[in-house]
Amino acid sequence: MMKKLALLIGVFCSGSVLANAHLEHAQLPYQQATAIPYDSTPYTPQDTMPEQCKDPMVMQYIADWEAGRVDFNTIQSNDSIAKDQRFCKTMDDDGNIMEAKDCKLENAPVGYLWKELSDAPVVIGITNGGKSDHAPHFHGQPECYYAVSGRARTLADGQYKWMEKGQYFYIPGNTIHNTPITDEQGFGVMYWYPKNAHFDGFKYYWRKDVKNLRVAEEAFDRIDALRKAAMDLGPYGTNQDKFKK
């Protein structure tokens, strides 16, 4: 009897392992449920790197930048970025990614550009932005900024607060963030996603992605109200006159 029971248990366990083998694989972005976002990070821009953001590769990039050993044109990507992708990127007015010739803002239709520096072991990039609007959004991965140039107001602790050159900023996952560039001097940041690699696995959520999910739509409504109060900006896509080149 005991032998028969042991045999049955063994068969049952084997079947369970086989039946649940698919659970070893993470869901793809399109299989994931839409998250309910926090309105904003509870953190604010600060003069020292937050503990959550510390990463040796990022710290070396920042040290080289602060020492003047690199600038936006000369900073180099690591080997995780394909050689044919190591150029300055921007978007056209329809949201299609394109090259910004000579890494110049005048060749960026949307008023900003970026370079990908690493896709693994951590996703890192750097931006250069002129006066330009940006859409509020969120994603599951936490994100960090280091301001390399200029200044801008960023959504922080329920307000739009100035982030100045040399400051750091931490944004937890599933938290709406937004940084319109309203100052004429522009704004540039190094950005990274601590302990997260492979950007093609990230899922970004914009307002259109939470349509009919009332609690998420209301969060975006509150952000629109904050944008209006702080910078007299309407919802993203309605401020073309304020950002004319």
Side-chain angles (χ1 to χ4, degrees):
M1 182 67 182
M2 293 299 293
K3 288 183 178 179
K4 186 175 180 180
L5 181 60
L7 180 61
L8 286 172
I9 291 172
V11 170
F12 176 78
C13 290
S14 296
S16 296
V17 169
L18 290 174
N20 293 308
H22 68 285
L23 296 179
E24 297 174 6
H25 303 287
Q27 288 186 317
L28 297 172
Y30 66 82
Q31 297 170 318
Q32 295 171 1
T34 302
I36 305 301
Y38 294 96
D39 282 21
S40 81
T41 170
Y43 302 96
T44 60
Q46 61 185 69
D47 295 332
T48 57
M49 183 180 285
E51 192 65 33
Q52 303 95 318
C53 296
K54 289 184 177 178
D55 177 272
M57 183 181 297
V58 172
M59 294 167 76
Q60 185 60 59
Y61 271 125
I62 292 174
D64 288 342
W65 184 278
E66 291 179 338
R69 291 188 287 267
V70 296
D71 58 24
F72 195 82
N73 290 294
T74 62
I75 196 167
Q76 296 294 310
S77 307
N78 73 7
D79 290 339
S80 67
I81 303 298
K83 289 184 179 180
D84 64 357
Q85 294 297 309
R86 298 176 190 179
F87 57 86
C88 290
K89 298 179 179 180
T90 186
M91 289 189 287
D92 62 21
D93 292 327
D94 296 320
N96 300 305
I97 294 176
M98 56 182 284
E99 181 176 1
K101 298 291 185 182
D102 303 317
C103 283
K104 292 184 177 179
L105 279 174
E106 55 260 38
N107 297 324
V110 291
Y112 60 91
L113 47 88
W114 71 92
K115 290 176 78 171
E116 297 168 349
L117 301 178
S118 171
D119 195 47
V122 60
V123 175
I124 309 170
I126 190 167
T127 72
N128 183 20
K131 193 174 180 181
S132 53
D133 201 3
H134 298 258
H137 65 279
F138 66 96
H139 39 74
Q141 298 79 9
E143 186 172 7
C144 298
Y145 295 161
Y146 169 72
V148 297
S149 62
R151 66 175 192 157
R153 276 173 287 208
T154 194
L155 181 59
D157 196 22
Q159 303 176 51
Y160 276 89
K161 297 186 177 183
W162 284 105
M163 183 173 179
E164 308 276 351
K165 178 181 177 182
Q167 288 191 310
Y168 297 85
F169 185 44
Y170 175 63
I171 306 161
N174 289 324
T175 301
I176 297 176
H177 46 290
N178 180 227
T179 310
I181 303 174
T182 58
D183 201 86
E184 294 292 342
Q185 66 179 305
F187 186 57
V189 300
M190 189 174 297
Y191 62 88
W192 64 101
Y193 302 83
K195 299 180 182 178
N196 285 273
H198 308 301
F199 187 76
D200 62 1
F202 291 15
K203 170 63 178 173
Y204 270 51
Y205 292 91
W206 314 88
R207 188 186 184 101
K208 63 182 175 58
D209 296 312
V210 299
K211 187 176 182 181
N212 299 323
L213 183 58
R214 183 177 298 174
V215 66
E217 286 188 315
E218 289 173 349
F220 278 97
D221 287 343
R222 290 191 291 271
I223 302 312
D224 284 345
L226 291 173
R227 282 166 53 96
K228 182 67 175 177
M231 295 168 286
D232 194 28
L233 293 179
Y236 177 76
T238 66
N239 304 288
Q240 292 86 342
D241 289 347
K242 296 181 184 295
F243 294 99
K244 281 182 178 177
K245 299 184 181 69

